[in-house]
Amino acid sequence: AAPGGGRADLRSPQAVAEPAPTGGPLRFDAPMRAKDQLGLDGEAAASVHLERAGMRIVERRWRCAYGELDIVALDGDTLVFVEVKTRRGLAHGHPFEAITPAKVRRLRTLAGLWLQERPHRGPIRMDAVGIVAPRAGSWRVEHLRGIQ
């Protein structure tokens, strides 16, 4: 099965077969979609922005069965869970508009699961980084502290 549960088209030049690291069954990796690459690039830019602001990145792209945390960082002794949203432009709204109350609830749930694996004594905060990344021109990075 291909990523996402579908079947890989073996005739497609985009389906690349390679042995799994354990020597197990073949794995099919399709090329990354442009929006997924934009998201990864946005997370990298957000990490740089946060580090320049004095934060220390603890983890990126932590995943579990319930979802993914984009960035976990320390701001002094405060543990910060950061949701990153990246857009090419504002035609579909500002990146922060995609952070709905349901998304914040999910972020809190994921943070709780992360904390079960890595206990932290100290304050905890939820932040958001919104990035507008036009194909040509400078990227604009905004950081909201303490989203609720």
Side-chain angles (χ1 to χ4, degrees), residues 53-108:
M55 297 173 76
R56 183 172 66 83
I57 305 302
V58 174
E59 191 157 5
R60 284 182 51 194
R61 303 188 72 221
W62 178 82
R63 292 179 183 206
C64 71
Y66 300 100
E68 176 182 298
L69 291 169
D70 295 333
I71 298 172
V72 181
L74 278 169
D75 187 7
D77 66 342
T78 301
L79 188 66
V80 185
F81 296 93
V82 184
E83 178 70 16
V84 180
K85 291 295 178 190
T86 308
R87 300 285 183 267
R88 281 279 175 217
L90 299 175
H92 298 288
H94 190 280
F96 289 146
E97 292 177 38
I99 303 174
T100 63
K103 174 70 90 172
V104 174
R105 283 192 303 274
R106 190 171 119 315
L107 182 61
R108 288 182 189 282

Tab-separated table of all heavy atoms in Angstrom, residues 53-108:
chain	number	residue	atom	x	y	z
A	53	ALA	N	15.072	34.309	18.565
A	53	ALA	CA	14.360	34.992	19.649
A	53	ALA	C	14.804	34.481	21.016
A	53	ALA	O	14.246	34.877	22.032
A	53	ALA	CB	12.847	34.799	19.473
A	54	GLY	N	15.779	33.567	21.030
A	54	GLY	CA	16.332	33.080	22.287
A	54	GLY	C	15.762	31.769	22.785
A	54	GLY	O	16.100	31.324	23.878
A	55	MET	N	14.902	31.157	21.995
A	55	MET	CA	14.323	29.877	22.411
A	55	MET	C	15.238	28.730	21.966
A	55	MET	O	16.009	28.873	21.018
A	55	MET	CB	12.919	29.721	21.815
A	55	MET	CG	11.959	30.787	22.336
A	55	MET	SD	10.350	30.786	21.512
A	55	MET	CE	9.596	29.368	22.254
A	56	ARG	N	15.124	27.603	22.671
A	56	ARG	CA	15.902	26.419	22.306
A	56	ARG	C	14.937	25.348	21.807
A	56	ARG	O	13.980	24.988	22.502
A	56	ARG	CB	16.688	25.888	23.507
A	56	ARG	CG	17.568	24.694	23.152
A	56	ARG	CD	18.482	24.299	24.296
A	56	ARG	NE	17.796	23.783	25.460
A	56	ARG	CZ	17.379	22.518	25.603
A	56	ARG	NH1	17.571	21.648	24.643
A	56	ARG	NH2	16.781	22.148	26.725
A	57	ILE	N	15.174	24.859	20.595
A	57	ILE	CA	14.318	23.822	20.020
A	57	ILE	C	14.628	22.499	20.708
A	57	ILE	O	15.777	22.062	20.744
A	57	ILE	CB	14.524	23.701	18.489
A	57	ILE	CG1	14.319	25.060	17.801
A	57	ILE	CG2	13.614	22.625	17.897
A	57	ILE	CD1	12.975	25.712	18.022
A	58	VAL	N	13.583	21.874	21.240
A	58	VAL	CA	13.722	20.587	21.914
A	58	VAL	C	13.411	19.455	20.937
A	58	VAL	O	14.084	18.429	20.927
A	58	VAL	CB	12.776	20.514	23.140
A	58	VAL	CG1	12.785	19.131	23.771
A	58	VAL	CG2	13.127	21.596	24.147
A	59	GLU	N	12.390	19.652	20.114
A	59	GLU	CA	11.984	18.613	19.179
A	59	GLU	C	11.182	19.234	18.051
A	59	GLU	O	10.479	20.218	18.239
A	59	GLU	CB	11.137	17.561	19.915
A	59	GLU	CG	10.883	16.332	19.118
A	59	GLU	CD	10.567	15.116	19.988
A	59	GLU	OE1	10.460	15.240	21.215
A	59	GLU	OE2	10.436	14.032	19.402
A	60	ARG	N	11.312	18.610	16.868
A	60	ARG	CA	10.513	19.022	15.705
A	60	ARG	C	9.797	17.804	15.154
A	60	ARG	O	10.328	16.712	15.147
A	60	ARG	CB	11.414	19.605	14.606
A	60	ARG	CG	11.891	20.999	14.922
A	60	ARG	CD	12.730	21.600	13.825
A	60	ARG	NE	12.092	21.522	12.529
A	60	ARG	CZ	12.721	21.740	11.375
A	60	ARG	NH1	13.999	22.065	11.368
A	60	ARG	NH2	12.088	21.647	10.234
A	61	ARG	N	8.574	18.029	14.719
A	61	ARG	CA	7.771	17.022	14.030
A	61	ARG	C	7.565	15.755	14.856
A	61	ARG	O	7.665	14.644	14.352
A	61	ARG	CB	8.375	16.704	12.661
A	61	ARG	CG	8.508	17.948	11.779
A	61	ARG	CD	8.923	17.629	10.374
A	61	ARG	NE	7.793	17.000	9.707
A	61	ARG	CZ	7.915	15.954	8.890
A	61	ARG	NH1	9.078	15.432	8.640
A	61	ARG	NH2	6.839	15.441	8.325
A	62	TRP	N	7.248	15.918	16.153
A	62	TRP	CA	6.964	14.766	17.004
A	62	TRP	C	5.615	14.197	16.597
A	62	TRP	O	4.636	14.915	16.464
A	62	TRP	CB	6.947	15.190	18.474
A	62	TRP	CG	6.619	14.066	19.408
A	62	TRP	CD1	7.473	13.117	19.881
A	62	TRP	CD2	5.337	13.765	19.971
A	62	TRP	NE1	6.812	12.257	20.709
A	62	TRP	CE2	5.494	12.633	20.784
A	62	TRP	CE3	4.078	14.361	19.868
A	62	TRP	CZ2	4.442	12.062	21.496
A	62	TRP	CZ3	3.028	13.797	20.579
A	62	TRP	CH2	3.214	12.665	21.378
A	63	ARG	N	5.577	12.902	16.371
A	63	ARG	CA	4.350	12.262	15.909
A	63	ARG	C	3.918	11.151	16.841
A	63	ARG	O	4.744	10.467	17.439
A	63	ARG	CB	4.568	11.644	14.524
A	63	ARG	CG	4.785	12.657	13.453
A	63	ARG	CD	5.024	11.981	12.140
A	63	ARG	NE	5.308	12.992	11.139
A	63	ARG	CZ	5.084	12.830	9.867
A	63	ARG	NH1	4.612	11.700	9.418
A	63	ARG	NH2	5.355	13.800	9.021
A	64	CYS	N	2.603	10.981	16.908
A	64	CYS	CA	2.011	9.847	17.601
A	64	CYS	C	0.753	9.473	16.811
A	64	CYS	O	0.467	10.065	15.775
A	64	CYS	CB	1.687	10.196	19.055
A	64	CYS	SG	0.303	11.338	19.250
A	65	ALA	N	0.013	8.529	17.321
A	65	ALA	CA	-1.185	8.063	16.615
A	65	ALA	C	-2.249	9.152	16.468
A	65	ALA	O	-3.105	9.064	15.598
A	65	ALA	CB	-1.782	6.866	17.347
A	66	TYR	N	-2.191	10.193	17.298
A	66	TYR	CA	-3.227	11.227	17.299
A	66	TYR	C	-2.851	12.477	16.506
A	66	TYR	O	-3.657	13.374	16.369
A	66	TYR	CB	-3.579	11.608	18.737
A	66	TYR	CG	-4.089	10.426	19.505
A	66	TYR	CD1	-3.258	9.730	20.365
A	66	TYR	CD2	-5.395	9.969	19.332
A	66	TYR	CE1	-3.721	8.619	21.049
A	66	TYR	CE2	-5.860	8.863	20.006
A	66	TYR	CZ	-5.016	8.183	20.857
A	66	TYR	OH	-5.476	7.079	21.523
A	67	GLY	N	-1.618	12.548	16.013
A	67	GLY	CA	-1.232	13.712	15.234
A	67	GLY	C	0.232	14.066	15.413
A	67	GLY	O	1.037	13.230	15.836
A	68	GLU	N	0.541	15.313	15.105
A	68	GLU	CA	1.927	15.775	15.116
A	68	GLU	C	2.044	17.131	15.800
A	68	GLU	O	1.196	18.002	15.611
A	68	GLU	CB	2.419	15.895	13.668
A	68	GLU	CG	3.816	16.457	13.552
A	68	GLU	CD	4.262	16.610	12.106
A	68	GLU	OE1	4.347	15.578	11.413
A	68	GLU	OE2	4.502	17.741	11.681
A	69	LEU	N	3.097	17.266	16.592
A	69	LEU	CA	3.482	18.574	17.131
A	69	LEU	C	4.564	19.123	16.210
A	69	LEU	O	5.558	18.442	15.954
A	69	LEU	CB	4.030	18.436	18.551
A	69	LEU	CG	3.031	18.048	19.630
A	69	LEU	CD1	3.758	17.694	20.923
A	69	LEU	CD2	2.047	19.182	19.867
A	70	ASP	N	4.376	20.343	15.718
A	70	ASP	CA	5.358	20.915	14.797
A	70	ASP	C	6.683	21.180	15.487
A	70	ASP	O	7.735	20.744	15.015
A	70	ASP	CB	4.821	22.208	14.171
A	70	ASP	CG	3.607	21.962	13.285
A	70	ASP	OD1	3.482	20.851	12.736
A	70	ASP	OD2	2.791	22.889	13.160
A	71	ILE	N	6.642	21.934	16.588
A	71	ILE	CA	7.869	22.304	17.302
A	71	ILE	C	7.596	22.288	18.805
A	71	ILE	O	6.547	22.769	19.252
A	71	ILE	CB	8.357	23.710	16.895
A	71	ILE	CG1	8.703	23.759	15.402
A	71	ILE	CG2	9.566	24.147	17.735
A	71	ILE	CD1	9.011	25.159	14.878
A	72	VAL	N	8.547	21.751	19.544
A	72	VAL	CA	8.541	21.861	20.999
A	72	VAL	C	9.826	22.613	21.336
A	72	VAL	O	10.910	22.252	20.855
A	72	VAL	CB	8.518	20.483	21.688
A	72	VAL	CG1	8.482	20.651	23.197
A	72	VAL	CG2	7.325	19.654	21.201
A	73	ALA	N	9.705	23.673	22.132
A	73	ALA	CA	10.865	24.519	22.431
A	73	ALA	C	10.851	24.921	23.897
A	73	ALA	O	9.840	24.803	24.585
A	73	ALA	CB	10.838	25.763	21.546
A	74	LEU	N	11.993	25.413	24.342
A	74	LEU	CA	12.096	25.996	25.676
A	74	LEU	C	12.343	27.483	25.536
A	74	LEU	O	13.219	27.917	24.782
A	74	LEU	CB	13.253	25.368	26.458
A	74	LEU	CG	12.951	24.032	27.135
A	74	LEU	CD1	14.234	23.402	27.647
A	74	LEU	CD2	11.942	24.207	28.261
A	75	ASP	N	11.549	28.267	26.254
A	75	ASP	CA	11.716	29.713	26.341
A	75	ASP	C	12.042	29.985	27.807
A	75	ASP	O	11.147	30.116	28.635
A	75	ASP	CB	10.428	30.411	25.907
A	75	ASP	CG	10.575	31.919	25.818
A	75	ASP	OD1	11.705	32.422	25.964
A	75	ASP	OD2	9.547	32.584	25.594
A	76	GLY	N	13.331	29.979	28.126
A	76	GLY	CA	13.743	29.996	29.531
A	76	GLY	C	13.371	28.657	30.130
A	76	GLY	O	13.718	27.611	29.591
A	77	ASP	N	12.586	28.674	31.209
A	77	ASP	CA	12.137	27.408	31.795
A	77	ASP	C	10.723	27.042	31.357
A	77	ASP	O	10.151	26.058	31.823
A	77	ASP	CB	12.231	27.458	33.323
A	77	ASP	CG	11.270	28.468	33.946
A	77	ASP	OD1	10.783	29.358	33.215
A	77	ASP	OD2	11.018	28.370	35.155
A	78	THR	N	10.153	27.827	30.427
A	78	THR	CA	8.810	27.554	29.909
A	78	THR	C	8.885	26.632	28.709
A	78	THR	O	9.584	26.921	27.735
A	78	THR	CB	8.098	28.862	29.510
A	78	THR	OG1	8.019	29.721	30.649
A	78	THR	CG2	6.702	28.598	28.978
A	79	LEU	N	8.168	25.513	28.787
A	79	LEU	CA	8.077	24.590	27.668
A	79	LEU	C	6.990	25.101	26.727
A	79	LEU	O	5.870	25.397	27.167
A	79	LEU	CB	7.745	23.184	28.169
A	79	LEU	CG	7.803	22.082	27.129
A	79	LEU	CD1	9.233	21.875	26.624
A	79	LEU	CD2	7.275	20.780	27.732
A	80	VAL	N	7.326	25.234	25.452
A	80	VAL	CA	6.414	25.839	24.484
A	80	VAL	C	6.103	24.855	23.360
A	80	VAL	O	7.019	24.324	22.724
A	80	VAL	CB	7.021	27.131	23.892
A	80	VAL	CG1	6.014	27.815	22.973
A	80	VAL	CG2	7.479	28.072	24.993
A	81	PHE	N	4.821	24.624	23.121
A	81	PHE	CA	4.359	23.802	22.011
A	81	PHE	C	3.925	24.769	20.918
A	81	PHE	O	3.049	25.611	21.135
A	81	PHE	CB	3.207	22.897	22.456
A	81	PHE	CG	3.644	21.904	23.501
A	81	PHE	CD1	3.509	22.196	24.850
A	81	PHE	CD2	4.212	20.698	23.126
A	81	PHE	CE1	3.925	21.291	25.818
A	81	PHE	CE2	4.633	19.794	24.089
A	81	PHE	CZ	4.494	20.083	25.431
A	82	VAL	N	4.542	24.651	19.747
A	82	VAL	CA	4.354	25.640	18.684
A	82	VAL	C	3.680	25.010	17.471
A	82	VAL	O	4.173	24.027	16.909
A	82	VAL	CB	5.706	26.253	18.257
A	82	VAL	CG1	5.491	27.352	17.214
A	82	VAL	CG2	6.471	26.784	19.463
A	83	GLU	N	2.568	25.589	17.072
A	83	GLU	CA	1.882	25.220	15.830
A	83	GLU	C	2.352	26.175	14.746
A	83	GLU	O	2.348	27.395	14.933
A	83	GLU	CB	0.365	25.324	16.013
A	83	GLU	CG	-0.439	25.008	14.789
A	83	GLU	CD	-0.396	23.529	14.403
A	83	GLU	OE1	-0.006	22.676	15.217
A	83	GLU	OE2	-0.785	23.239	13.253
A	84	VAL	N	2.786	25.624	13.612
A	84	VAL	CA	3.293	26.430	12.505
A	84	VAL	C	2.336	26.313	11.328
A	84	VAL	O	1.954	25.207	10.936
A	84	VAL	CB	4.710	25.971	12.076
A	84	VAL	CG1	5.220	26.819	10.908
A	84	VAL	CG2	5.670	26.022	13.252
A	85	LYS	N	1.951	27.450	10.776
A	85	LYS	CA	1.110	27.485	9.581
A	85	LYS	C	1.801	28.345	8.539
A	85	LYS	O	2.181	29.486	8.804
A	85	LYS	CB	-0.279	28.072	9.893
A	85	LYS	CG	-1.126	27.175	10.751
A	85	LYS	CD	-1.450	25.904	10.004
A	85	LYS	CE	-2.260	24.955	10.834
A	85	LYS	NZ	-2.382	23.646	10.197
A	86	THR	N	1.950	27.786	7.349
A	86	THR	CA	2.643	28.481	6.261
A	86	THR	C	1.730	28.562	5.048
A	86	THR	O	1.079	27.571	4.687
A	86	THR	CB	3.941	27.721	5.887
A	86	THR	OG1	4.709	27.497	7.072
A	86	THR	CG2	4.769	28.509	4.886
A	87	ARG	N	1.686	29.716	4.436
A	87	ARG	CA	0.883	29.942	3.229
A	87	ARG	C	1.735	30.672	2.197
A	87	ARG	O	2.619	31.454	2.548
A	87	ARG	CB	-0.349	30.816	3.533
A	87	ARG	CG	-1.294	30.243	4.558
A	87	ARG	CD	-2.115	29.104	3.960
A	87	ARG	NE	-3.065	28.596	4.916
A	87	ARG	CZ	-2.848	27.569	5.733
A	87	ARG	NH1	-1.679	26.973	5.742
A	87	ARG	NH2	-3.781	27.147	6.565
A	88	ARG	N	1.430	30.461	0.927
A	88	ARG	CA	2.126	31.181	-0.151
A	88	ARG	C	1.675	32.634	-0.211
A	88	ARG	O	2.423	33.506	-0.612
A	88	ARG	CB	1.864	30.527	-1.502
A	88	ARG	CG	2.678	29.306	-1.735
A	88	ARG	CD	4.078	29.687	-2.182
A	88	ARG	NE	4.894	28.488	-2.287
A	88	ARG	CZ	6.168	28.451	-1.964
A	88	ARG	NH1	6.778	29.516	-1.510
A	88	ARG	NH2	6.841	27.347	-2.082
A	89	GLY	N	0.436	32.871	0.151
A	89	GLY	CA	-0.115	34.221	0.115
A	89	GLY	C	-1.337	34.292	1.013
A	89	GLY	O	-1.607	33.378	1.785
A	90	LEU	N	-2.082	35.369	0.873
A	90	LEU	CA	-3.240	35.585	1.739
A	90	LEU	C	-4.573	35.311	1.045
A	90	LEU	O	-5.630	35.590	1.609
A	90	LEU	CB	-3.208	37.019	2.279
A	90	LEU	CG	-1.974	37.365	3.123
A	90	LEU	CD1	-1.983	38.837	3.505
A	90	LEU	CD2	-1.901	36.490	4.359
A	91	ALA	N	-4.534	34.745	-0.156
A	91	ALA	CA	-5.767	34.485	-0.908
A	91	ALA	C	-6.721	33.573	-0.141
A	91	ALA	O	-7.939	33.695	-0.263
A	91	ALA	CB	-5.438	33.873	-2.268
A	92	HIS	N	-6.191	32.675	0.655
A	92	HIS	CA	-7.026	31.758	1.442
A	92	HIS	C	-7.037	32.149	2.920
A	92	HIS	O	-7.321	31.332	3.783
A	92	HIS	CB	-6.534	30.318	1.273
A	92	HIS	CG	-6.617	29.832	-0.131
A	92	HIS	ND1	-7.813	29.527	-0.743
A	92	HIS	CD2	-5.659	29.645	-1.067
A	92	HIS	CE1	-7.575	29.151	-1.980
A	92	HIS	NE2	-6.287	29.210	-2.213
A	93	GLY	N	-6.702	33.396	3.206
A	93	GLY	CA	-6.699	33.899	4.570
A	93	GLY	C	-5.310	33.867	5.183
A	93	GLY	O	-4.383	33.260	4.660
A	94	HIS	N	-5.181	34.565	6.288
A	94	HIS	CA	-3.910	34.612	7.021
A	94	HIS	C	-3.639	33.236	7.624
A	94	HIS	O	-4.584	32.527	8.004
A	94	HIS	CB	-3.994	35.676	8.128
A	94	HIS	CG	-2.683	35.954	8.771
A	94	HIS	ND1	-2.149	35.128	9.737
A	94	HIS	CD2	-1.785	36.948	8.571
A	94	HIS	CE1	-0.976	35.599	10.106
A	94	HIS	NE2	-0.735	36.703	9.410
A	95	PRO	N	-2.383	32.827	7.728
A	95	PRO	CA	-2.086	31.517	8.316
A	95	PRO	C	-2.717	31.303	9.691
A	95	PRO	O	-3.163	30.192	10.010
A	95	PRO	CB	-0.553	31.506	8.408
A	95	PRO	CG	-0.098	32.443	7.352
A	95	PRO	CD	-1.161	33.497	7.264
A	96	PHE	N	-2.799	32.340	10.504
A	96	PHE	CA	-3.375	32.184	11.842
A	96	PHE	C	-4.861	31.827	11.798
A	96	PHE	O	-5.391	31.250	12.744
A	96	PHE	CB	-3.170	33.434	12.689
A	96	PHE	CG	-1.747	33.665	13.112
A	96	PHE	CD1	-1.250	34.943	13.236
A	96	PHE	CD2	-0.889	32.604	13.391
A	96	PHE	CE1	0.062	35.170	13.633
A	96	PHE	CE2	0.422	32.812	13.782
A	96	PHE	CZ	0.902	34.103	13.909
A	97	GLU	N	-5.541	32.161	10.704
A	97	GLU	CA	-6.961	31.831	10.582
A	97	GLU	C	-7.193	30.324	10.540
A	97	GLU	O	-8.288	29.855	10.831
A	97	GLU	CB	-7.566	32.489	9.341
A	97	GLU	CG	-7.637	34.000	9.438
A	97	GLU	CD	-8.160	34.636	8.168
A	97	GLU	OE1	-9.070	34.067	7.534
A	97	GLU	OE2	-7.659	35.712	7.806
A	98	ALA	N	-6.163	29.555	10.204
A	98	ALA	CA	-6.275	28.094	10.154
A	98	ALA	C	-6.153	27.464	11.541
A	98	ALA	O	-6.369	26.263	11.696
A	98	ALA	CB	-5.217	27.516	9.225
A	99	ILE	N	-5.818	28.251	12.543
A	99	ILE	CA	-5.687	27.724	13.903
A	99	ILE	C	-7.005	27.963	14.624
A	99	ILE	O	-7.224	28.983	15.258
A	99	ILE	CB	-4.486	28.351	14.633
A	99	ILE	CG1	-3.215	28.098	13.821
A	99	ILE	CG2	-4.355	27.776	16.041
A	99	ILE	CD1	-1.985	28.777	14.361
A	100	THR	N	-7.875	27.000	14.486
A	100	THR	CA	-9.226	27.063	15.038
A	100	THR	C	-9.231	26.595	16.494
A	100	THR	O	-8.245	25.999	16.957
A	100	THR	CB	-10.148	26.142	14.220
A	100	THR	OG1	-9.665	24.796	14.365
A	100	THR	CG2	-10.177	26.540	12.744
A	101	PRO	N	-10.335	26.837	17.217
A	101	PRO	CA	-10.425	26.297	18.578
A	101	PRO	C	-10.222	24.773	18.619
A	101	PRO	O	-9.588	24.254	19.531
A	101	PRO	CB	-11.828	26.696	19.030
A	101	PRO	CG	-12.100	27.957	18.266
A	101	PRO	CD	-11.463	27.731	16.920
A	102	ALA	N	-10.714	24.065	17.615
A	102	ALA	CA	-10.524	22.611	17.554
A	102	ALA	C	-9.046	22.268	17.402
A	102	ALA	O	-8.550	21.311	18.009
A	102	ALA	CB	-11.333	22.012	16.404
A	103	LYS	N	-8.332	23.045	16.607
A	103	LYS	CA	-6.893	22.823	16.413
A	103	LYS	C	-6.146	23.064	17.724
A	103	LYS	O	-5.229	22.313	18.069
A	103	LYS	CB	-6.372	23.736	15.311
A	103	LYS	CG	-4.881	23.718	15.103
A	103	LYS	CD	-4.405	22.429	14.501
A	103	LYS	CE	-4.417	22.549	12.993
A	103	LYS	NZ	-3.795	21.386	12.345
A	104	VAL	N	-6.532	24.084	18.472
A	104	VAL	CA	-5.876	24.373	19.761
A	104	VAL	C	-6.160	23.241	20.749
A	104	VAL	O	-5.258	22.808	21.476
A	104	VAL	CB	-6.316	25.742	20.319
A	104	VAL	CG1	-5.751	25.968	21.712
A	104	VAL	CG2	-5.870	26.863	19.382
A	105	ARG	N	-7.400	22.721	20.748
A	105	ARG	CA	-7.721	21.582	21.629
A	105	ARG	C	-6.859	20.373	21.269
A	105	ARG	O	-6.332	19.687	22.144
A	105	ARG	CB	-9.210	21.222	21.533
A	105	ARG	CG	-10.116	22.158	22.302
A	105	ARG	CD	-11.541	21.614	22.420
A	105	ARG	NE	-12.171	21.329	21.139
A	105	ARG	CZ	-12.828	22.243	20.405
A	105	ARG	NH1	-12.935	23.489	20.828
A	105	ARG	NH2	-13.381	21.901	19.266
A	106	ARG	N	-6.697	20.120	19.971
A	106	ARG	CA	-5.863	19.013	19.522
A	106	ARG	C	-4.412	19.227	19.936
A	106	ARG	O	-3.731	18.306	20.371
A	106	ARG	CB	-5.977	18.836	18.009
A	106	ARG	CG	-5.331	17.568	17.496
A	106	ARG	CD	-5.671	17.341	16.042
A	106	ARG	NE	-4.593	17.313	15.109
A	106	ARG	CZ	-3.545	18.100	14.974
A	106	ARG	NH1	-3.372	19.079	15.783
A	106	ARG	NH2	-2.641	17.940	14.048
A	107	LEU	N	-3.937	20.457	19.832
A	107	LEU	CA	-2.571	20.797	20.241
A	107	LEU	C	-2.392	20.517	21.737
A	107	LEU	O	-1.375	19.952	22.151
A	107	LEU	CB	-2.284	22.261	19.912
A	107	LEU	CG	-0.895	22.799	20.231
A	107	LEU	CD1	0.181	22.045	19.466
A	107	LEU	CD2	-0.828	24.286	19.898
A	108	ARG	N	-3.390	20.865	22.546
A	108	ARG	CA	-3.326	20.604	23.989
A	108	ARG	C	-3.280	19.093	24.271
A	108	ARG	O	-2.544	18.637	25.140
A	108	ARG	CB	-4.512	21.232	24.704
A	108	ARG	CG	-4.443	22.734	24.780
A	108	ARG	CD	-5.644	23.272	25.564
A	108	ARG	NE	-5.723	24.701	25.482
A	108	ARG	CZ	-4.982	25.547	26.174
A	108	ARG	NH1	-4.083	25.093	27.009
A	108	ARG	NH2	-5.128	26.848	26.034
